[in-house]
Protein backbone atom coordinates (compact mmCIF):
# COMPACT_ATOMS: atom_id res chain seq x y z
CA UNK A 1 0.00 0.00 0.00
CA UNK A 2 1.45 3.32 -1.07
CA UNK A 3 1.82 6.03 1.63
CA UNK A 4 -0.33 9.16 1.27
CA UNK A 5 1.16 12.04 -0.78
CA UNK A 6 3.46 14.39 1.12
CA UNK A 7 1.14 17.39 0.67
CA UNK A 8 -1.76 15.45 2.22
CA UNK A 9 0.38 14.41 5.20
CA UNK A 10 1.49 18.00 5.80
CA UNK A 11 -2.11 19.24 5.68
CA UNK A 12 -3.05 16.51 8.15
CA UNK A 13 -0.23 17.57 10.45
CA UNK A 14 -1.48 21.13 10.48
CA UNK A 15 -5.09 20.24 11.31
CA UNK A 16 -4.53 17.18 13.55
CA UNK A 17 -1.28 17.62 15.51
CA UNK A 18 -2.30 14.80 17.88
CA UNK A 19 -1.65 12.39 15.01
CA UNK A 20 1.99 13.49 14.78
CA UNK A 21 3.51 10.10 15.84
CA UNK A 22 1.56 8.19 13.17
CA UNK A 23 2.33 10.76 10.47
CA UNK A 24 5.97 10.73 11.62
CA UNK A 25 6.07 7.00 10.81
CA UNK A 26 4.58 7.63 7.35
CA UNK A 27 7.16 10.33 6.62
CA UNK A 28 9.96 7.96 7.61
CA UNK A 29 8.59 5.26 5.28
CA UNK A 30 8.45 7.72 2.39
CA UNK A 31 11.97 9.06 3.18
CA UNK A 32 10.52 12.58 3.31
CA UNK A 33 12.36 13.70 6.43
CA UNK A 34 15.59 14.30 4.51
CA UNK A 35 14.06 17.65 3.52
CA UNK A 36 13.80 20.37 6.19
CA UNK A 37 10.29 21.39 5.12
CA UNK A 38 8.33 18.28 6.24
CA UNK A 39 10.66 17.80 9.21
CA UNK A 40 10.01 21.37 10.36
CA UNK A 41 6.27 20.89 9.94
CA UNK A 42 6.53 17.82 12.14
CA UNK A 43 8.51 19.75 14.81
CA UNK A 44 5.74 22.36 14.89
CA UNK A 45 3.04 19.66 15.06
CA UNK A 46 4.75 17.96 18.01
CA UNK A 47 4.89 21.35 19.74
CA UNK A 48 1.17 21.93 19.08
CA UNK A 49 0.42 18.45 20.44
CA UNK A 50 2.19 19.28 23.73
CA UNK A 51 5.21 17.04 23.04
CA UNK A 52 8.25 19.35 23.24
CA UNK A 53 10.59 16.45 23.99
CA UNK A 54 9.62 14.67 20.76
CA UNK A 55 10.02 17.94 18.84
CA UNK A 56 13.54 18.46 20.24
CA UNK A 57 14.58 14.87 19.45
CA UNK A 58 13.31 15.15 15.91
CA UNK A 59 15.17 18.42 15.42
CA UNK A 60 18.41 16.82 16.65
CA UNK A 61 17.96 14.03 14.09
CA UNK A 62 17.37 16.35 11.12
CA UNK A 63 20.11 15.89 8.52
CA UNK A 64 19.60 19.42 7.18
CA UNK A 65 18.33 22.47 9.03
CA UNK A 66 17.46 25.96 7.86
CA UNK A 67 16.51 29.15 9.72
CA UNK A 68 12.81 28.17 9.65
CA UNK A 69 13.61 24.88 11.42
CA UNK A 70 15.60 26.69 14.12
CA UNK A 71 12.73 29.15 14.59
CA UNK A 72 10.26 26.25 14.94
CA UNK A 73 12.41 24.71 17.68
CA UNK A 74 12.77 28.04 19.50
CA UNK A 75 9.01 28.65 19.35
CA UNK A 76 8.39 25.16 20.74
CA UNK A 77 10.76 25.63 23.68
CA UNK A 78 9.39 29.07 24.59
CA UNK A 79 5.79 27.92 24.28
CA UNK A 80 6.43 25.08 26.71
CA UNK A 81 8.22 27.27 29.28
CA UNK A 82 11.80 26.17 28.61
CA UNK A 83 13.60 29.52 28.38
CA UNK A 84 17.02 28.12 29.31
CA UNK A 85 16.79 25.52 26.54
CA UNK A 86 15.64 28.23 24.14
CA UNK A 87 18.71 30.33 25.02
CA UNK A 88 20.94 27.32 24.31
CA UNK A 89 19.20 26.73 20.97
CA UNK A 90 19.63 30.40 20.09
CA UNK A 91 23.39 30.11 20.65
CA UNK A 92 23.40 26.91 18.61
CA UNK A 93 21.65 28.66 15.75
CA UNK A 94 24.34 31.37 15.70
CA UNK A 95 27.10 28.75 15.88
CA UNK A 96 25.56 26.98 12.87
CA UNK A 97 25.96 30.19 10.88
CA UNK A 98 22.32 31.33 10.73
CA UNK A 99 21.59 35.02 11.28
CA UNK A 100 18.57 35.66 13.52
CA UNK A 101 15.41 36.77 11.75
CA UNK A 102 12.70 39.01 13.15
CA UNK A 103 10.81 35.84 14.12
CA UNK A 104 13.89 34.53 15.96
CA UNK A 105 14.37 37.73 17.92
CA UNK A 106 10.66 37.98 18.74
CA UNK A 107 10.69 34.44 20.13
CA UNK A 108 13.82 35.14 22.19
CA UNK A 109 12.29 38.35 23.56
CA UNK A 110 9.35 36.26 24.77
CA UNK A 111 11.75 33.78 26.38
CA UNK A 112 13.58 36.58 28.20
CA UNK A 113 10.27 38.08 29.32
CA UNK A 114 9.10 34.73 30.71
CA UNK A 115 12.28 34.33 32.76
CA UNK A 116 12.68 38.08 33.46
CA UNK A 117 16.20 37.84 32.01
CA UNK A 118 16.99 41.51 31.44
CA UNK A 119 20.61 41.25 30.30
CA UNK A 120 20.03 38.77 27.44
CA UNK A 121 16.84 40.68 26.69
CA UNK A 122 18.87 43.83 26.10
CA UNK A 123 21.13 41.84 23.78
CA UNK A 124 18.07 40.77 21.80
CA UNK A 125 17.00 44.42 21.66
CA UNK A 126 20.44 45.46 20.37
CA UNK A 127 20.31 42.83 17.64
CA UNK A 128 16.85 43.95 16.62
CA UNK A 129 18.04 47.56 16.20
CA UNK A 130 20.77 46.36 13.88
CA UNK A 131 18.81 43.81 11.88
CA UNK A 132 15.05 44.17 12.19
CA UNK A 133 14.20 47.75 13.10
CA UNK A 134 10.62 48.70 12.27
CA UNK A 135 8.98 45.33 12.94
CA UNK A 136 5.87 45.98 15.07
CA UNK A 137 5.56 42.37 16.29
CA UNK A 138 9.15 42.44 17.55
CA UNK A 139 8.63 45.88 19.10
CA UNK A 140 5.58 44.54 20.97
CA UNK A 141 7.59 41.58 22.29
CA UNK A 142 10.34 43.95 23.50
CA UNK A 143 7.79 46.17 25.23
CA UNK A 144 6.43 43.10 27.00
CA UNK A 145 10.00 42.14 27.96
CA UNK A 146 10.75 45.47 29.63
CA UNK A 147 7.34 45.52 31.33
CA UNK A 148 7.99 42.02 32.71
CA UNK A 149 11.28 43.28 34.17
CA UNK A 150 9.54 46.29 35.77
CA UNK A 151 11.16 48.86 33.45
CA UNK A 152 7.96 50.71 32.61
CA UNK A 153 9.54 53.98 31.48
CA UNK A 154 11.90 52.16 29.14
CA UNK A 155 9.04 50.13 27.69
CA UNK A 156 6.95 53.25 27.12
CA UNK A 157 9.87 55.06 25.47
CA UNK A 158 10.37 52.12 23.14
CA UNK A 159 6.67 52.08 22.21
CA UNK A 160 6.70 55.81 21.44
CA UNK A 161 10.05 55.98 19.64
CA UNK A 162 9.80 52.90 17.45
CA UNK A 163 9.51 53.81 13.79
CA UNK A 164 7.11 50.98 12.97
CA UNK A 165 3.39 51.67 12.47
CA UNK A 166 1.80 51.22 15.89
CA UNK A 167 -1.06 48.75 16.11
CA UNK A 168 -3.57 47.65 18.74
CA UNK A 169 -1.34 44.84 20.00
CA UNK A 170 1.49 47.27 20.80
CA UNK A 171 -0.81 49.61 22.74
CA UNK A 172 -2.35 46.63 24.56
CA UNK A 173 1.12 45.50 25.64
CA UNK A 174 1.79 48.96 27.08
CA UNK A 175 -1.58 49.18 28.85
CA UNK A 176 -1.41 45.69 30.36
CA UNK A 177 2.22 46.24 31.41
CA UNK A 178 1.34 49.51 33.12
CA UNK A 179 -1.51 47.84 35.02
CA UNK A 180 0.67 44.89 36.10
CA UNK A 181 3.31 47.30 37.41
CA UNK A 182 0.82 49.59 39.16
CA UNK A 183 1.20 52.54 36.76
CA UNK A 184 -2.54 53.07 36.54
CA UNK A 185 -2.56 56.72 35.48
CA UNK A 186 -0.34 55.92 32.49
CA UNK A 187 -2.59 52.99 31.59
CA UNK A 188 -5.63 55.26 31.44
CA UNK A 189 -3.77 57.85 29.36
CA UNK A 190 -2.71 55.18 26.90
CA UNK A 191 -6.28 53.88 26.71
CA UNK A 192 -7.30 57.20 25.17
CA UNK A 193 -4.77 56.78 22.35
CA UNK A 194 -5.76 53.37 21.07
CA UNK A 195 -8.73 51.78 19.40
CA UNK A 196 -10.99 50.34 22.09
CA UNK A 197 -10.83 46.55 22.31
CA UNK A 198 -11.56 43.82 24.84
CA UNK A 199 -7.96 43.46 26.05
CA UNK A 200 -7.43 47.19 26.61
CA UNK A 201 -10.80 47.64 28.33
CA UNK A 202 -10.26 44.61 30.56
CA UNK A 203 -6.84 45.94 31.59
CA UNK A 204 -8.38 49.32 32.39
CA UNK A 205 -11.07 47.67 34.52
CA UNK A 206 -8.37 45.71 36.35
CA UNK A 207 -6.69 49.02 37.16
CA UNK A 208 -9.99 50.41 38.45
CA UNK A 209 -10.46 47.32 40.63
CA UNK A 210 -6.94 47.59 42.05
CA UNK A 211 -7.44 51.25 43.00
CA UNK A 212 -11.18 51.02 43.82
CA UNK A 213 -11.63 53.90 41.40
CA UNK A 214 -15.36 53.99 40.72
CA UNK A 215 -15.24 57.18 38.63
CA UNK A 216 -12.84 55.77 36.05
CA UNK A 217 -14.55 52.38 36.29
CA UNK A 218 -17.90 53.86 35.29
CA UNK A 219 -16.21 55.73 32.43
CA UNK A 220 -14.70 52.49 31.18
CA UNK A 221 -18.15 50.86 31.51
CA UNK A 222 -19.53 53.58 29.25
CA UNK A 223 -16.71 52.89 26.76
CA UNK A 224 -17.64 49.20 26.69
CA UNK A 225 -21.27 50.14 25.98
CA UNK A 226 -20.21 52.51 23.22
CA UNK A 227 -18.11 49.92 21.40
CA UNK A 228 -20.58 47.07 22.01
CA UNK A 229 -18.28 44.91 24.12
CA UNK A 230 -20.64 44.23 27.04
CA UNK A 231 -21.92 40.98 25.52
CA UNK A 232 -18.61 39.23 26.16
CA UNK A 233 -18.13 37.32 29.41
CA UNK A 234 -14.53 38.56 29.86
CA UNK A 235 -15.56 42.22 29.96
CA UNK A 236 -18.63 41.50 32.09
CA UNK A 237 -16.59 39.50 34.62
CA UNK A 238 -14.15 42.40 34.85
CA UNK A 239 -17.05 44.82 35.37
CA UNK A 240 -18.50 42.64 38.15
CA UNK A 241 -15.13 42.55 39.88
CA UNK A 242 -14.65 46.31 39.51
CA UNK A 243 -18.05 47.21 40.94
CA UNK A 244 -17.59 44.71 43.77
CA UNK A 245 -14.19 46.16 44.70
CA UNK A 246 -15.76 49.63 44.66
CA UNK A 247 -18.56 48.54 47.00
CA UNK A 248 -21.35 48.66 44.40
CA UNK A 249 -22.86 45.18 44.62
CA UNK A 250 -26.14 46.30 43.04
CA UNK A 251 -24.30 47.57 39.97
CA UNK A 252 -22.33 44.33 39.83
CA UNK A 253 -25.58 42.34 40.00
CA UNK A 254 -27.07 44.46 37.23
CA UNK A 255 -24.16 43.56 34.95
CA UNK A 256 -24.49 39.90 35.98
CA UNK A 257 -28.23 39.78 35.28
CA UNK A 258 -27.76 41.29 31.81
CA UNK A 259 -25.20 38.68 30.74
CA UNK A 260 -26.43 36.45 27.93
CA UNK A 261 -24.06 33.62 28.84
CA UNK A 262 -22.56 33.13 32.30
CA UNK A 263 -19.48 31.02 32.94
CA UNK A 264 -18.36 29.58 36.27
CA UNK A 265 -16.13 32.66 36.59
CA UNK A 266 -19.19 34.91 36.30
CA UNK A 267 -21.13 33.04 38.99
CA UNK A 268 -18.09 32.82 41.28
CA UNK A 269 -17.33 36.54 40.85
CA UNK A 270 -20.86 37.59 41.77
CA UNK A 271 -21.01 35.20 44.74
CA UNK A 272 -17.62 36.55 45.81
CA UNK A 273 -18.93 40.12 45.54
CA UNK A 274 -21.77 39.32 47.95
CA UNK A 275 -19.35 37.49 50.23
CA UNK A 276 -16.88 40.39 50.29
CA UNK A 277 -19.55 42.77 51.51
CA UNK A 278 -21.10 40.43 54.09
CA UNK A 279 -24.27 39.53 52.18
CA UNK A 280 -24.22 35.86 53.14
CA UNK A 281 -27.85 35.04 52.37
CA UNK A 282 -27.65 36.68 48.96
CA UNK A 283 -24.50 34.69 48.18
CA UNK A 284 -26.17 31.41 49.16
CA UNK A 285 -29.32 32.23 47.18
CA UNK A 286 -27.21 32.92 44.11
CA UNK A 287 -25.28 29.68 44.57
CA UNK A 288 -28.54 27.72 44.72
CA UNK A 289 -29.65 29.48 41.55
CA UNK A 290 -26.35 28.48 39.95
CA UNK A 291 -27.07 24.82 40.75
CA UNK A 292 -30.39 25.11 38.88
CA UNK A 293 -28.95 27.07 35.95
CA UNK A 294 -29.58 25.96 32.36
CA UNK A 295 -27.25 25.27 30.65
CA UNK A 296 -25.57 23.54 33.57
CA UNK A 297 -22.59 25.36 35.11
CA UNK A 298 -20.65 23.28 37.63
CA UNK A 299 -19.15 25.12 40.60
CA UNK A 300 -15.40 24.80 41.15
CA UNK A 301 -13.07 25.22 44.12
CA UNK A 302 -13.12 29.02 43.74
CA UNK A 303 -16.92 29.06 43.83
CA UNK A 304 -16.99 27.07 47.06
CA UNK A 305 -14.34 29.29 48.63
CA UNK A 306 -16.56 32.31 47.92
CA UNK A 307 -19.57 30.49 49.41
CA UNK A 308 -17.68 29.44 52.56
CA UNK A 309 -16.32 32.96 52.94
CA UNK A 310 -19.86 34.31 52.72
CA UNK A 311 -20.97 31.89 55.44
CA UNK A 312 -18.00 32.89 57.61
CA UNK A 313 -18.70 36.61 57.34
CA UNK A 314 -22.38 36.14 58.11
CA UNK A 315 -22.03 33.52 60.85
CA UNK A 316 -23.94 30.84 58.91
CA UNK A 317 -22.44 27.76 60.55
CA UNK A 318 -24.95 25.11 59.48
CA UNK A 319 -24.95 26.39 55.91
CA UNK A 320 -21.15 26.44 55.78
CA UNK A 321 -20.93 22.89 57.11
CA UNK A 322 -23.49 21.75 54.52
CA UNK A 323 -21.61 23.41 51.66
CA UNK A 324 -18.31 21.85 52.72
CA UNK A 325 -20.02 18.46 52.68
CA UNK A 326 -21.71 19.20 49.33
CA UNK A 327 -18.37 20.17 47.82
CA UNK A 328 -16.91 16.74 48.58
CA UNK A 329 -19.90 14.44 48.18
CA UNK A 330 -21.83 15.87 45.22
CA UNK A 331 -19.15 17.57 43.14
CA UNK A 332 -16.11 15.48 44.05
CA UNK A 333 -13.94 18.51 44.83
CA UNK A 334 -11.37 17.97 47.55
CA UNK A 335 -11.30 21.02 49.85
CA UNK A 336 -7.93 22.74 50.01
CA UNK A 337 -6.27 24.40 53.01
CA UNK A 338 -7.99 27.67 52.16
CA UNK A 339 -11.44 26.04 52.39
CA UNK A 340 -10.71 24.45 55.76
CA UNK A 341 -9.17 27.71 57.02
CA UNK A 342 -12.37 29.52 56.07
CA UNK A 343 -14.51 26.93 57.88
CA UNK A 344 -12.31 27.05 61.01
CA UNK A 345 -12.69 30.84 60.96
CA UNK A 346 -16.46 30.42 60.71
CA UNK A 347 -16.53 28.01 63.66
CA UNK A 348 -14.25 30.18 65.77
CA UNK A 349 -16.26 33.34 65.37
CA UNK A 350 -19.47 31.40 66.06
CA UNK A 351 -18.04 30.27 69.40
CA UNK A 352 -17.72 26.62 68.36
CA UNK A 353 -14.07 26.44 69.34
CA UNK A 354 -14.12 22.70 70.17
CA UNK A 355 -15.24 21.67 66.69
CA UNK A 356 -12.69 24.06 65.19
CA UNK A 357 -9.96 22.52 67.38
CA UNK A 358 -10.92 18.97 66.38
CA UNK A 359 -10.70 19.90 62.70
CA UNK A 360 -7.37 21.64 63.29
CA UNK A 361 -5.95 18.61 65.11
CA UNK A 362 -6.87 16.39 62.18
CA UNK A 363 -4.33 18.38 60.17
CA UNK A 364 -1.75 18.27 62.93
CA UNK A 365 -1.68 14.51 62.41
CA UNK A 366 -0.58 15.09 58.81
CA UNK A 367 2.08 17.80 58.87
CA UNK A 368 2.25 18.01 55.07
CA UNK A 369 -1.37 19.23 54.93
CA UNK A 370 -0.99 21.82 57.69
CA UNK A 371 -0.68 25.23 56.06
CA UNK A 372 -0.05 28.65 57.53
CA UNK A 373 -3.59 29.70 56.54
CA UNK A 374 -5.08 26.95 58.72
CA UNK A 375 -2.81 27.91 61.63
CA UNK A 376 -3.74 31.59 61.27
CA UNK A 377 -7.46 30.77 61.19
CA UNK A 378 -7.12 28.63 64.33
CA UNK A 379 -5.05 31.29 66.11
CA UNK A 380 -7.71 33.90 65.35
CA UNK A 381 -10.40 31.48 66.59
CA UNK A 382 -8.50 31.06 69.86
CA UNK A 383 -8.12 34.83 70.14
CA UNK A 384 -11.85 35.40 69.55
CA UNK A 385 -12.70 32.86 72.24
CA UNK A 386 -9.84 33.88 74.59
CA UNK A 387 -8.56 30.28 74.59
CA UNK A 388 -4.97 31.01 75.61
CA UNK A 389 -3.86 27.42 76.19
CA UNK A 390 -4.76 26.24 72.71
CA UNK A 391 -3.68 29.55 71.20
CA UNK A 392 -0.15 29.19 72.57
CA UNK A 393 0.08 25.73 71.00
CA UNK A 394 -1.12 27.06 67.65
CA UNK A 395 1.38 29.91 67.83
CA UNK A 396 4.20 27.38 68.15
CA UNK A 397 2.80 25.38 65.23
CA UNK A 398 2.61 28.52 63.10
CA UNK A 399 6.27 29.28 63.70
CA UNK A 400 7.14 25.72 62.68
CA UNK A 401 5.14 25.98 59.44
CA UNK A 402 6.13 29.53 58.41
CA UNK A 403 9.04 30.82 60.55
CA UNK A 404 10.29 33.46 58.10
CA UNK A 405 7.01 35.24 57.39
CA UNK A 406 6.88 38.43 59.50
CA UNK A 407 3.08 38.42 59.46
CA UNK A 408 3.15 35.24 61.56
CA UNK A 409 5.12 36.98 64.31
CA UNK A 410 2.80 40.00 64.17
CA UNK A 411 -0.27 37.77 64.57
CA UNK A 412 1.34 35.98 67.50
CA UNK A 413 2.26 39.32 69.08
CA UNK A 414 -1.33 40.54 68.70
CA UNK A 415 -2.64 37.29 70.18
CA UNK A 416 -0.48 37.68 73.28
CA UNK A 417 -1.39 41.36 73.57
CA UNK A 418 -5.11 40.49 73.53
CA UNK A 419 -4.48 38.17 76.49
CA UNK A 420 -2.48 40.80 78.34
CA UNK A 421 0.73 38.80 77.93
CA UNK A 422 2.85 41.86 77.20
CA UNK A 423 6.28 40.29 77.60
CA UNK A 424 5.42 37.51 75.10
CA UNK A 425 3.96 40.10 72.76
CA UNK A 426 7.12 42.17 72.91
CA UNK A 427 9.28 39.08 72.37
CA UNK A 428 7.42 38.27 69.12
CA UNK A 429 8.05 41.83 67.90
CA UNK A 430 11.73 41.63 68.82
CA UNK A 431 12.12 38.46 66.75
CA UNK A 432 11.04 40.43 63.68
CA UNK A 433 13.83 42.95 64.29
CA UNK A 434 16.47 40.40 65.25
CA UNK A 435 15.87 38.28 62.14
CA UNK A 436 15.68 41.32 59.86
CA UNK A 437 12.18 40.44 58.73
CA UNK A 438 10.06 43.09 57.03
CA UNK A 439 6.32 43.33 57.28
CA UNK A 440 4.58 44.19 54.02
CA UNK A 441 3.76 47.87 53.75
CA UNK A 442 0.05 48.47 54.07
CA UNK A 443 -1.87 50.08 51.24
CA UNK A 444 -5.17 51.88 51.04
CA UNK A 445 -8.05 51.05 48.73
CA UNK A 446 -8.80 54.77 48.47
CA UNK A 447 -8.10 55.63 44.86
CA UNK A 448 -5.05 57.69 44.02
CA UNK A 449 -5.96 57.93 40.36
CA UNK A 450 -7.76 60.90 38.99
Amino acid sequence: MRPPPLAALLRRLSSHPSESPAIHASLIKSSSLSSPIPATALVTAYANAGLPGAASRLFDEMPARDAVAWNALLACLVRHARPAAAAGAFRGMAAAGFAPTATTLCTMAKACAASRALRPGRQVHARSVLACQGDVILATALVDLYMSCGLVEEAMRLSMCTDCPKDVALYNAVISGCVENGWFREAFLMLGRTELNVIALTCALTACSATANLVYGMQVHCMTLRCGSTSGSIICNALIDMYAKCGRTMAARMVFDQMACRSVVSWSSMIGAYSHHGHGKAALDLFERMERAVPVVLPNAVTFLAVLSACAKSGLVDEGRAKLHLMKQKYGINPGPEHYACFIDLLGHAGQINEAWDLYCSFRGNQSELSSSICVAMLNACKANMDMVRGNKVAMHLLEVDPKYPGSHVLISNFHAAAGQWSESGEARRIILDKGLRKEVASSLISSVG
Side-chain angles (χ1 to χ4, degrees):
M1 182 177 178
R2 296 179 61 186
L6 178 60
L9 288 174
L10 294 182
R11 285 196 298 272
R12 191 70 181 175
L13 268 180
S14 177
S15 58
H16 296 80
S18 60
E19 298 179 11
S20 299
I23 296 175
H24 189 174
S26 296
L27 291 172
I28 291 174
K29 287 181 181 178
S30 62
S31 301
S32 299
L33 291 180
S34 58
S35 168
I37 295 176
T40 301
L42 189 55
V43 168
T44 301
Y46 272 129
N48 292 338
L51 300 170
S56 298
R57 287 191 295 273
L58 173 62
F59 179 86
D60 291 338
E61 296 168 359
M62 289 175 64
R65 306 182 187 111
D66 56 13
V68 178
W70 282 100
N71 285 338
L73 176 65
L74 288 170
C76 169
L77 295 172
V78 172
R79 177 178 179 178
H80 292 282
R82 299 186 178 184
F90 181 62
R91 290 190 293 270
M93 180 180 181
F98 292 99
T101 64
T103 300
T104 311
L105 295 172
C106 183
T107 302
M108 289 311 301
K110 292 177 181 178
C112 294
S115 57
R116 289 176 171 78
L118 180 59
R119 185 175 179 182
R122 289 193 186 280
Q123 293 172 353
V124 172
H125 189 181
R127 282 176 174 261
S128 71
V129 171
L130 294 173
C132 308
Q133 195 170 12
D135 188 292
V136 67
I137 298 176
L138 179 54
T140 303
L142 289 169
V143 166
D144 185 59
L145 161 68
Y146 286 123
M147 288 294 188
S148 297
C149 294
L151 301 177
V152 180
E153 290 181 339
E154 196 158 345
M156 294 184 71
R157 270 199 308 273
L158 173 61
S159 69
M160 293 296 102
C161 297
T162 183
D163 58 358
C164 62
K166 301 172 181 62
D167 64 1
V168 170
L170 179 63
Y171 282 115
N172 286 348
V174 176
I175 293 170
S176 61
C178 286
V179 171
E180 288 169 6
N181 284 280
W183 289 50
F184 302 119
R185 185 185 298 276
E186 289 73 13
F188 286 121
L189 291 174
M190 191 62 66
L191 183 65
R193 299 177 184 174
T194 183
E195 176 186 341
L196 296 178
N197 59 87
V198 171
I199 295 175
L201 291 169
T202 303
C203 287
L205 288 170
T206 302
C208 295
S209 297
T211 57
N213 193 308
L214 181 61
V215 175
Y216 272 147
M218 293 176 70
Q219 290 177 6
V220 176
H221 192 174
C222 291
M223 292 178 186
T224 66
L225 292 170
R226 192 165 67 242
C227 65
S229 298
T230 51
S231 59
S233 61
I234 295 175
I235 284 285
C236 288
N237 292 341
L239 282 167
I240 291 170
D241 183 65
M242 182 274 296
Y243 279 122
K245 294 285 176 57
C246 294
R248 299 298 181 93
T249 53
M250 290 183 64
R253 183 59 187 263
M254 180 186 70
V255 173
F256 177 83
D257 287 340
Q258 291 175 350
M259 292 180 69
C261 182
R262 304 181 186 97
S263 66
V264 64
V265 176
S266 311
W267 288 97
S268 300
S269 297
M270 193 60 235
I271 293 170
Y274 281 133
S275 169
H276 184 70
H277 294 285
H279 303 309
K281 287 292 186 183
L284 290 175
D285 290 344
L286 189 61
F287 176 77
E288 291 171 2
R289 181 181 164 191
M290 177 185 182
E291 290 191 291
R292 300 190 303 268
V294 178
V296 176
V297 181
L298 295 177
N300 59 20
V302 176
T303 314
F304 277 103
L305 184 60
V307 171
L308 288 170
S309 177
C311 294
K313 291 182 179 179
S314 300
L316 304 173
V317 179
D318 292 338
E319 291 85 347
R321 188 183 293 108
K323 294 299 180 284
L324 193 64
H325 180 77
L326 184 74
M327 178 182 183
K328 294 183 286 187
Q329 299 302 319
K330 181 177 179 180
Y331 294 102
I333 302 173
N334 291 323
E338 63 279 5
H339 298 94
Y340 285 115
C342 199
F343 188 57
I344 287 173
D345 184 62
L346 167 59
L347 293 172
H349 284 89
Q352 300 188 21
I353 188 66
N354 290 331
E355 184 178 351
W357 181 253
D358 290 342
L359 179 57
Y360 174 77
C361 288
S362 69
F363 287 98
R364 279 293 295 165
N366 188 346
Q367 192 70 22
S368 62
E369 294 185 3
L370 184 63
S371 70
S372 58
S373 61
I374 291 176
C375 289
V376 167
M378 192 65 230
L379 186 63
N380 286 331
C382 292
K383 179 182 173 183
N385 290 271
M386 296 303 289
D387 190 332
M388 298 301 112
V389 175
R390 288 169 173 169
N392 282 316
K393 292 179 180 179
V394 177
M396 296 301 296
H397 299 163
L398 180 57
L399 291 179
E400 292 173 9
V401 173
D402 201 358
K404 294 184 178 180
Y405 179 54
S408 301
H409 297 279
V410 173
L411 285 169
I412 292 169
S413 174
N414 293 341
F415 169 76
H416 288 306
Q421 299 170 342
W422 301 110
S423 60
E424 291 86 348
S425 176
E427 180 61 26
R429 295 278 178 175
R430 277 192 295 275
I431 291 174
I432 297 176
L433 298 175
D434 293 344
K435 292 187 175 182
L437 303 176
R438 283 180 171 268
K439 187 176 181 293
E440 288 185 10
V441 178
S443 58
S444 172
L445 274 180
I446 297 176
S447 171
S448 60
V449 181

